[in-house]
């Protein structure tokens, strides 16, 4: 099966998508082959340059043309999230499969609309929670599913970076409250996705949000400062459906942290710890080890951890951030081909969104809040 | 100045005290010299054996005798915490300086009574928050105080161990609600003490407590199970007086963790991270480092970090848990001699207790709660 | 400039090359654009399948056809190393630029012949020492070159893996002494390349080689064992041209080690440490840091460490093994375009080979041995 | 049994001994009790002060008096190593048990004389290789002895510090060639002791020594520089009696390293790695772990690792450098009481010395050299 790709967006994430869709058939043996048909950017010249650089047949400044092109079977959306809904709905209406960057939409209501449209139209969807595609996440999930660390008792997770730590860094679209929130929406959604992937649904939350830097310059070099309306730090206490409790923190002023998407899961028979800054490793503790020899093992990703071996035949050589994206595209294509891969479709993106919104509501109400099913 | 020591308790912590009081004059040059006068244990034979093993002049089965002995100037209390108040009050009444293990008492009210009595009588007191005595804590505090990491924005701390993780481990006095609580009272008090030491007073809290193991055998090998009334996991969101926010977790079912008393402090100009499992190290990140060369530095304790050099002239050789106790005793003796050492007296123990109680109250009320000053 | 690529070899390394040559124009803005013209494999069907999977225009079972094809400007050789010389010489004779996997050849004499041929013909060459392409290596080299860690005093390096640790793993071509040696030739050549890249030429060596597993099954499942004639472990003491001394170890029976290509460099003013298992990090110690705050910093790769930013705009997200290959191809293409990139051409591959051979000679002679210039 | 202690030396190591001998009966239940009888220092006032501070009954400026005192049963020697032989021989002649700091003597011949004298007189001896007393070393040795990591194939060890890294640090007694050598004698002896403890006798060596800082000021602040005659870095390739090969490095100009006494041992079924900078941890890799879950485990010292539990009842709390000394004294006292503890007596100190001397000889001869039995 050959499918045509239409990609909207030519920025960093657009390029990442282009590379992933190009590599996926070189790395994996798939029943689907992708042809890079059309790329869209509001700037026609930029679209044209990107088409040449990324190997697309055609370029357009009008994304409507792309989603309606008969040679386009898959639409990948790598644009600011305020645009996701309109683009996705149009693509779905045209019967295209849709791969949308996270967060799915600025609100759960919008995400719901997108999800229902896709399900009604019967197209396959994907949301860009690429950290979930790490082979070590699958290892962790399998260990938990097989009961090797027993009953899950506790989850602690953070997603912390420091790219907003400078009080003189100017206002950006990330700070626009219309985008759905601050650090919690941007980074916290990732750790919610991870918690759900490994432990299951979150049913109750108690959140707290803090704006550390109250005003920022309205532009680079400007001396005029505007108020910041979204949080720099968001935290939440959690209850999972299975009874496990937990806590998460999303923080984009976490000085010194570049990419912490770290978690620790305690079970009655063992524990798992992970740090994204070393994402080719998983740390596993098992009570079944001989008692004087117990300790967290540092397991390095290798060919035994699928699909690492598609990228490299030797363990410890490490896959990179962009490879996670290639795995995500692979799972998406497999889903289009009818295989079961457990990839995060719009329905899952909606659940994450719903959970994040519940945290915001709970922070406002200063009360434990149920997450709508 | 020579001072006589009376030690109540001959168990593990009693021995630790005995060693610390013995070593302190060998390690430090102090204006006070300690003579080990009397040791007390309800079991007369045990008291007698301990006196010989630990080098005390006399033994008694009656702690009242000890606190009233004219040769005893300092009373060290290393008994279960339900006994702290009565013993401390008696010692204070007799005009003795008192060194009491943590937590000071099962309730803030009791801690308040002890603190007021000591202050009224003018005796010097100490509470056993020995982790604060780590030279790396002083380094961290000094870095913060000098403004090297800027304005403090965030605190995250845990105290997690796994000694209660086995659901078949029997009921113990630690599970007695009369002791003041569970993991939060036992372990959380340490991380509250650390947060206060480094950041300052905590003014508002929002807590959550969970009992993971609902019943336990009532004795070793018993098939009868009794309900557990205290929490295995306690968490709290925090606001500090200086505006900084934070989160803590106390967990004694944290499988695989033996001694995590870990924290991360983010400031506007840098950050500090610490792990108790490697307590001779401090991790420091500075924005003032050249931009392409920034990273957390692993600083090993050495003679430049007082009083490490009293224990070893060379860096990286490491002090141990018992050495922290020796430093604690040193600071206590210096305070008795009138020196300013910033050690944790009853007043500080009371503040920790008050904070912990506020967390319990907040968890019960499911609401943000002010910590009484 | 558009250049046609001919790739010989369709195995793991062949695929890695195909992906790298495909990605290089998507990741980098280059004056050269690559067209995947022809791929060769002794198995015609395999060649044909690979052409389709990797996006090559044509396939052949005869590599001579490939090296002589007029549309092929660059020949990439990803075959067993006994074939490198013949293929490279033929490609050079046809005026092609040649990118050859390491080691360049089984002997320094053969490597010399290849190098001279390429230089005489004026074609650009590259050897696959891809670990050198790590942005953190460039950071390390720059730090050293700027004198930030002072005069270099000591180098310690290892390349250890465990893929040969099982005494029942069968004989393979890696054990063929015609290949030039064992662990030292296969893995040690990498650490020699690193030492040269960072410190400079090695002038004297004293080597030691050990065969730990004396016999191996002659085939999978066979009960017949054949003697092993190459070393499992090779070590060498070193003197560098600049006076620095060092030691290296190559070991393919290093149980538990998956990909250690680790080094530590001590200078009079600082030090650098690196571990390939976490290759997006560099550890830097500077004497110029405030004395009580010195420690090895963990620097995570980010956009400030070129060309990391071409792969990801955010620090700490990590590049992978295959990305190193893409950087290598980038540098090769830039060299073809006339830019200075300092990539490892045949001349450098020859120097590595010469050094490795001197170690073997020294081990045989049990004496310090000069490395020929 | 009560035994009187005479301690020669009141410097840092003297104090360490005093504390260890004082603590040993408080920490351990031993058949021997120590009375601190007499302390000696060439400076009478210093001796007197030390007696008071460390709790000794008497002081002397004449160590001969001490070794001949009838109340002294044990002589501890914590003086510069050029004095060891004379003092030890005198103590042995007087029938005292002798605990001597390492290295036993500046030469193997002297060490041999001391060893023979002690054995002839039938007194118990000890040498201060206190790193061997780490409970994690015993764990490692037991794992090896039980065959859990199979046949031992490779040993790599370093002892690196940076206390001599400053070229302007003045000449000290450590640089006196009469002391027996430089970094190799001072630090390398420790790693030789560890290698022997864990793997067994070393039979052949090939050494290399380097003096990095050729001249040093002859005194603090002096502008006159004197030549340095001993090595700053020593390295050796090794063959063990059991066939295992290895390599060691001793380096006191290893910038940034404060206390590396690190090793890695590879076996056919597993591996052990250790770093002294985190000496309460042992890293263990076992091939018997499930294949997708293998990794080095970080085992923290706890009560299961004797005698850690004597210092602390909870795991992960950590013992310190001085506690290793207390364990050493414990083993010595047990040996005096007739128990088998495997402590390092003079005979073992002699073997270490002999090995170190063989390395020096081999470095001079530039040839593999047998270690005399």
């Amino acid at each position: 099966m050959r499918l045509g790709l239409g990609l909207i967006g030519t920025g960093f994430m657009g390029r990442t998508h282009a590379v992933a869709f190009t590599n996926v058939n070189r790395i994996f043996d798939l029943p689907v082959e992708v042809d890079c048909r059309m790329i869209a950017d509001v700037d026609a010249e930029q679209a044209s340059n990107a088409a040449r650089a990324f190997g697309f047949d055609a370029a357009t400044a009008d994304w409507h043309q792309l989603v309606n092109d008969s040679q386009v079977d898959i639409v990948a959306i790598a644009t600011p999230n305020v645009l996701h809904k309109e683009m996705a709905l149009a693509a779905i209406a045209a019967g295209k499969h849709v791969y949308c960057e996270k967060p799915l939409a600025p609100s759960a209501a919008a995400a719901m609309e997108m999800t229902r449209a896709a399900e009604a139209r019967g197209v396959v969807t994907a949301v860009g929670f690429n950290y979930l595609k790490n082979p070590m996440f699958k290892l962790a999930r399998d260990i938990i599913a097989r009961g090797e660390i027993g009953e899950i008792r506790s989850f602690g997770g953070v997603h912390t970076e420091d790219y907003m730590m400078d009080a003189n860094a100017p206002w950006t679209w990330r700070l626009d409250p219309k985008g759905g929130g601050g650090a919690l929406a941007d980074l916290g959604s990732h750790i919610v996705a991870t918690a759900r992937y490994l432990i299951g649904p979150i049913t109750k939350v108690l959140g707290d949000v803090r704006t550390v830097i109250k005003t920022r310059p309205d532009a680079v070099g400007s001396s005029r400062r505007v108020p910041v309306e979204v949080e720099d730090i968001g935290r939440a206490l959690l209850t999972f459906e299975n009874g496990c409790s937990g806590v998460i923190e999303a923080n984009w002023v976490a000085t010194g942290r570049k990419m912490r998407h770290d978690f620790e899961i305690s079970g009655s028979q063992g524990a798992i710890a992970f740090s994204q800054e070393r994402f080719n490793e998983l740390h596993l503790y098992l009570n079944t080890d001989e008692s004087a020899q117990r300790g967290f093992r540092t397991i390095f990703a290798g060919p035994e951890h699928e699909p690492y071996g598609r990228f490299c035949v030797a363990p410890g050589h490490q896959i990179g951030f962009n490879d996670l994206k290639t795995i995500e595209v692979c799972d998406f294509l497999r889903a289009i081909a009818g295989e079961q891969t457990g990839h995060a479709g719009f329905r899952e993106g909606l659940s994450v969104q719903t959970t994040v919104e519940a945290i915001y509501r709970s922070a406002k109400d200063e009360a434990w809040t149920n997450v709508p099913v």
Side-chain angles (χ1 to χ4, degrees), chain A residues 97-111:
Chain A
H97 303 298
V98 183
Y99 174 15
C100 183
E101 263 312 307
K102 54 73 47 180
L104 201 45
S107 73

Side-chain angles (χ1 to χ4, degrees), chain A residues 168 170 217-224:
Chain A
N168 292 318
D218 62 356
V220 178
S222 167
S223 63
R224 184 171 161 264

